[in-house]
C-alpha cells in the first residue's frame, strides 16, 4: 500500500496520462488503496488543475482530458529518454518547425534528468545515425540547450566564436533569442564588448558558458528577432526579390518550402500558387533548394535565378545521359 500521499498522487497522475480510461477498481489495485482513497486523490488532482473526467456505471472510470492549460507532465524513465533522444536528434540541425521553444523544452528536460538517464540518452545518441538531416551544419545539442537556458533565464553567455574568415574571438553577450532559418541556427544577442547588437551562427560557437550573471533584457531595435536577423543577413549578403510559380496548390507547396522563402499565395482560377520573398545568399543555393521541393515550378524573377535554374537543369540533364 502506498501511504505517501505525494508519491501516490504522482503515480496516479502517471497512470492517468496514459491515453485510456482507468476503472476505479483497477486504479485502486495498482495503488494498493481503497476506491474511496482513489476518489479523494482524483479530487486533489482536480484542485491542482488536472482535468480528470469521470464516467459513471459499471464500466465507468477516469481519464485525463484536454483542459484550458498545460499541466505538468509525469514521465517514466522510458518516456523521458525517448523524448530527450528525439529532441536532441532534431536540435542538432536547424530543422524547419523545430524552433526555440523546442530547444527550451530540451533544456528543461535535460536539467532534471537523473544521471542514469543522462547516460542512456548519451549512449543512444552516439549509437545512432540519422538517415536525413537538416540543410545546414550539425550542432551539438548541448550548445543549443546552454544557449536556450541563458535566453530563458536572462543570464549572460560567454563563448568562443569563429568568424567566416577563421578569426577566433571570445564574446560575452546578453542573449536575446535563438532563431532557426531552416538551414542554420542563429543567436541574436547584445555584445557587451562591442556595445551593440549582433547575430552569431551557432555552428561557429564553441565552449558556451552560462556565467550566472543576470541582466535586464534590452529592447531589440526591430522588436522581433527573426526580422533583425533577416535585415542583418541582407546587409552582409546580396539579397534578391524572388517570384516563383509552383504548379501545385498552396497547401501542397507550404509543407516542402522553407519558411524563409515566404508563404505560397494561391493564383486565382488555377491550381497553382506563387511565392514572393526577399532572400539572401547565393542564387545557386536558392535554385538547388527550389529543386529539392520535388514540385514543378517556374521562376519569374530575378534574372540571375532564372539563368541559374536553367543551367542547373541542363547540368542535371547531362548527368543523366547515357555514355
Amino acid at each position: 500500500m502506498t501511504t505517501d500521499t505525494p508519491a501516490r498522487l504522482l503515480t496516479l497522475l502517471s497512470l492517468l496520462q496514459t491515453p485510456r480510461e482507468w476503472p476505479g477498481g483497477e486504479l485502486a489495485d495498482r495503488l494498493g488503496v481503497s476506491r474511496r482513497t482513489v476518489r479523494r486523490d482524483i479530487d486533489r488532482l482536480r484542485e491542482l488543475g488536472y482535468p480528470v473526467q469521470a464516467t459513471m456505471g459499471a464500466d465507468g472510470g477516469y481519464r485525463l482530458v484536454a483542459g484550458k492549460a498545460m499541466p505538468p507532465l509525469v514521465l517514466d524513465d522510458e518516456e523521458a529518454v525517448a523524448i530527450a533522444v528525439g529532441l536532441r536528434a532534431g536540435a542538432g540541425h536547424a530543422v524547419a518547425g523545430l524552433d526555440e521553444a523546442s530547444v527550451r523544452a530540451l533544456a528543461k528536460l535535460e536539467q532534471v534528468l537523473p544521471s542514469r538517464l543522462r547516460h542512456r540518452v548519451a549512449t543512444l545518441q552516439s549509437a545512432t545515425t540519422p538517415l536525413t538531416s537538416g540543410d545546414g551544419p550539425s550542432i551539438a545539442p548541448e550548445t543549443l540547450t546552454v544557449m536556450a537556458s541563458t535566453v530563458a533565464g536572462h543570464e549572460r553567455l560567454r563563448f568562443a566564436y569563429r568568424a567566416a574568415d577563421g578569426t577566433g574571438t571570445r564574446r560575452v553577450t546578453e542573449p536575446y533569442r535563438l532563431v532557426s532559418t531552416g538551414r542554420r541556427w542563429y543567436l541574436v544577442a547584445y555584445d557587451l564588448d562591442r556595445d551593440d547588437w549582433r547575430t552569431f551562427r551557432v555552428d561557429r560557437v564553441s565552449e558556451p558558458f552560462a556565467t550566472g550573471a543576470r541582466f535586464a533584457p534590452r529592447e531589440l531595435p526591430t522588436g522581433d528577432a527573426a526580422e533583425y536577423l533577416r535585415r542583418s543577413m541582407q546587409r552582409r549578403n546580396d539579397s534578391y526579390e524572388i517570384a516563383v510559380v509552383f504548379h501545385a496548390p498552396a497547401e501542397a507547396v507550404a509543407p516542402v518550402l522553407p519558411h524563409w522563402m515566404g508563404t505560397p499565395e494561391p493564383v486565382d482560377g488555377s491550381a497553382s500558387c506563387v511565392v514572393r520573398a526577399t532572400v539572401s545568399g547565393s542564387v545557386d543555393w536558392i535554385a538547388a533548394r527550389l529543386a529539392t521541393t520535388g514540385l514543378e515550378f517556374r521562376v519569374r524573377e530575378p534574372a540571375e535565378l532564372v539563368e541559374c535554374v536553367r543551367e542547373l537543369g541542363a547540368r542535371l540533364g547531362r548527368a543523366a545521359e547515357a555514355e
Side-chain angles (χ1 to χ4, degrees):
M1 177 177 177
T2 305
T3 57
D4 184 350
T5 300
R8 190 176 66 246
L9 285 176
L10 286 174
T11 302
L12 174 60
L13 182 57
S14 179
L15 292 172
L16 290 174
Q17 286 177 344
T18 302
R20 54 161 288 193
E21 186 168 286
W22 289 88
E26 186 174 349
L27 287 176
D29 291 341
R30 288 285 193 109
L31 299 172
V33 297
S34 66
R35 294 192 181 207
R36 182 179 180 182
T37 299
V38 169
R39 288 194 294 270
R40 287 202 302 265
D41 288 347
I42 292 292
D43 288 338
R44 291 189 180 99
L45 289 179
R46 287 170 176 160
E47 291 172 359
L48 293 172
Y50 291 94
V52 182
Q53 184 182 72
T55 55
M56 307 302 292
D59 297 326
Y62 303 95
R63 73 164 57 238
L64 198 63
V65 297
K68 294 181 180 180
M70 175 69 184
L73 294 175
V74 176
L75 305 173
D76 62 28
D77 286 4
E78 300 299 327
E79 293 166 341
V81 169
I83 292 174
V85 170
L87 287 174
R88 283 170 64 96
H93 301 275
V95 180
L98 186 81
D99 56 12
E100 186 194 346
S102 299
V103 178
R104 289 203 311 271
L106 175 59
K108 290 179 181 178
L109 180 59
E110 293 203 335
Q111 182 178 1
V112 297
L113 279 180
S115 59
R116 69 180 191 281
L117 297 187
R118 287 176 183 269
H119 176 71
R120 288 178 60 185
V121 170
T123 300
L124 281 170
Q125 187 77 19
S126 63
T128 57
T129 301
L131 178 62
T132 58
S133 62
D135 295 323
S138 61
I139 303 167
E142 293 82 0
T143 298
L144 285 171
T145 55
V146 169
M147 288 184 166
S149 297
T150 57
V151 169
H154 305 311
E155 186 177 351
R156 288 180 178 174
L157 176 70
R158 186 170 67 236
F159 55 85
Y161 191 69
R162 174 179 51 82
D165 62 2
T167 303
T169 55
R170 306 289 301 187
R171 305 297 184 100
V172 179
T173 65
E174 295 178 353
Y176 185 80
R177 286 290 186 276
L178 282 166
V179 182
S180 167
T181 66
R183 295 175 59 193
R184 298 187 178 98
W185 282 103
Y186 289 85
L187 173 70
V188 176
Y190 192 85
D191 191 318
L192 294 174
D193 292 330
R194 289 150 183 80
D195 196 24
D196 199 4
W197 290 95
R198 292 288 190 272
T199 59
F200 302 94
R201 271 180 47 174
V202 177
D203 58 292
R204 293 177 178 168
V205 169
S206 61
E207 304 172 48
F209 178 74
T211 65
R214 306 289 178 177
F215 65 89
R218 303 171 190 261
E219 184 176 352
L220 191 66
T222 61
D224 178 78
E227 176 62 19
Y228 181 84
L229 175 63
R230 187 183 69 82
R231 294 183 185 182
S232 175
M233 293 175 70
Q234 287 181 358
R235 287 194 300 268
R236 292 197 299 262
N237 304 309
D238 292 333
S239 60
Y240 304 89
E241 297 289 336
I242 66 169
V244 182
V245 175
F246 282 89
H247 303 301
E251 55 269 24
V253 175
V256 297
L257 195 73
H259 60 79
W260 50 270
M261 278 193 180
T263 303
E265 301 173 359
V267 176
D268 294 338
S270 73
S272 300
C273 65
V274 62
V275 172
R276 296 185 178 88
T278 302
V279 299
S280 301
S282 71
V283 289
D284 291 332
W285 162 250
I286 299 170
R289 192 61 183 85
L290 288 169
T292 60
T293 61
L295 300 172
E296 296 289 331
F297 65 90
R298 180 177 294 276
V299 178
R300 287 182 175 174
E301 55 186 38
E304 298 95 326
L305 183 56
V306 172
E307 181 60 26
C308 188
V309 169
R310 183 179 293 115
E311 291 178 357
L312 176 62
R315 194 157 60 244
L316 292 175
R318 290 192 298 271
E321 292 176 355
E323 295 184 359

